[in-house]
Amino acid sequence: MAVELTQNGDCAVITLNRPEALNALSFQILRDIGAAIDEVATRKDVRALLFTGAGDKAFCAGADIKELRNRSLVDQKRGAELGQSVFAKLDTLPVASVALVNGYAFGGGLELALACSFRLASVNAKFGLPEVKLGLIPGYGGTQRLPRIVGESRALEMILTGKTVDAAAAEQMGLVNAVVEGDIVAAGLKFAAGFTGYSLPVLELARRAVQRAGDLSLAEGLRVEADLSTLAYCTADAEEGMAAFQEKRKAEFKDG
Ligand code: CAA
């Protein structure tokens, strides 16, 4: 299977498993990623989703270039919409997602990582949007998500030059949350453990509020925050969290 879904404790792990093509995204693989994300959304015992790539060379080298040639414009547009809609599933997934970038994350591979809530990089990770070298521009969300994460100027530099950014530079520009040594899946599980113990509905409200920051004015965003923070306050977990503080004990959240 070119897309494998496994579970490690309370973390689902989606592995892109096509190392002979550096885990390039065929249209079938995109559809399989979409199905795997849908499956994760149904699992009540999953509290985070990790993505990784099989092999030691690549997270994902982007869209399968061999599939891209000689397509009608209609098919090309549908392909971009497919990639965009599959990656957008991560926005509405009830749990946060972490891209574990172990090697190349180019083109659509970087766009998948950008759609995740967080990104960790191995020391040998390399990031780029090299579409311009193919006479193309990013089509799976890169022109929209990259500037929201690293700012317009840095995003434009990557998109217009197609240059490769190494792990240290990616960390410096805020493209990744951290660079990790050793087993990146183990690092991803540890990173996820930093939030999976909290109330899932409250985590989801926090993600919703932050997501809106990218497309609302400050005044509108503050109104959204007031509404969503009030919703968080209404949960039983908020009552439990505040009671636990006052009673000087560890909170026991029940996702309610
Ligand atoms: N599509 C299809 N096959 C790919 C691929 C891709 N994106 N990237 C690598 N492969 C294949 C290669 O063709 C090769 O297979 P064959 O030997 O059968 O030809 C195999 O993977 C190994 O690749 P290389 O021999 O090229 O490995 P390398 O270490 O010399 O180079 C690399 C690694 C720099 C990542 C290079 O493979 C490369 O530049 N790949 C293309 C990256 C790219 O341009 N990505 C953007 C794609 S377009 C896109 O993603 C649009 C979008 O927005 C959705």
Side-chain angles (χ1 to χ4, degrees):
M1 290 273 284
V3 175
E4 286 176 359
L5 171 60
T6 54
Q7 199 166 324
N8 190 322
D10 55 13
C11 291
V13 182
I14 293 179
T15 304
L16 307 181
N17 186 18
R18 195 192 175 199
E20 68 284 2
L22 304 187
N23 303 319
L25 299 169
S26 65
F27 293 116
Q28 187 56 48
I29 288 180
L30 277 178
R31 282 188 282 271
D32 291 347
I33 293 172
I37 296 171
D38 289 345
E39 161 67 22
V40 170
T42 68
R43 292 193 183 176
K44 297 276 174 272
D45 55 345
V46 165
R47 305 183 76 79
L49 168 60
L50 313 182
F51 280 92
T52 190
D56 53 9
K57 233 177 131 179
F59 173 70
C60 171
D64 187 329
I65 299 167
K66 293 165 191 170
E67 274 188 358
L68 288 184
R69 298 186 63 197
N70 302 318
R71 308 181 78 229
S72 72
L73 295 185
V74 170
D75 283 350
Q76 180 57 21
K77 185 152 184 256
R78 291 213 174 112
E81 287 165 351
L82 172 68
Q84 290 178 358
S85 63
V86 166
F87 296 172
K89 285 175 185 282
L90 296 171
D91 291 334
T92 50
L93 189 69
V95 300
S97 47
V98 190
L100 307 176
V101 179
N102 51 320
Y104 294 109
F106 277 2
L110 176 53
E111 290 169 301
L112 169 58
L114 293 171
C116 290
S117 320
F118 305 104
R119 285 152 293 285
L120 300 184
S122 61
V123 179
N124 70 333
K126 292 200 174 5
F127 300 84
L129 291 173
E131 284 87 344
V132 72
K133 297 178 187 172
L134 302 167
L136 298 172
I137 74 168
Y140 295 170
T143 66
Q144 303 305 302
R145 291 201 174 88
L146 186 60
R148 284 171 162 82
I149 293 171
V150 301
E152 182 178 325
S153 177
R154 287 195 168 101
L156 263 182
E157 187 181 343
M158 286 182 72
I159 292 166
L160 298 197
T161 67
K163 75 178 203 177
T164 299
V165 170
D166 67 19
E171 185 178 30
Q172 203 176 17
M173 68 164 79
L175 179 53
V176 300
N177 295 80
V179 179
V180 297
E181 300 205 21
D183 181 347
I184 197 164
V185 175
L189 293 168
K190 192 170 166 204
F191 182 86
F195 60 83
T196 49
Y198 298 121
S199 164
L200 269 190
V202 170
L203 291 172
E204 196 177 349
L205 290 169
R207 283 173 55 229
R208 297 271 164 278
V210 173
Q211 275 164 5
R212 299 306 307 275
D215 47 45
L216 293 178
S217 69
L218 180 60
E220 288 168 315
L222 290 174
R223 278 196 289 276
V224 168
E225 184 188 82
D227 289 344
L228 295 182
S229 63
T230 306
L231 269 183
Y233 179 83
C234 293
T235 62
D237 283 336
E239 178 52 31
E240 162 64 8
M242 291 184 284
F245 173 79
Q246 276 195 285
E247 292 159 19
K248 299 189 187 300
R249 60 177 174 81
K250 192 173 182 304
E252 284 183 37
F253 296 121
K254 297 203 166 74
D255 294 337

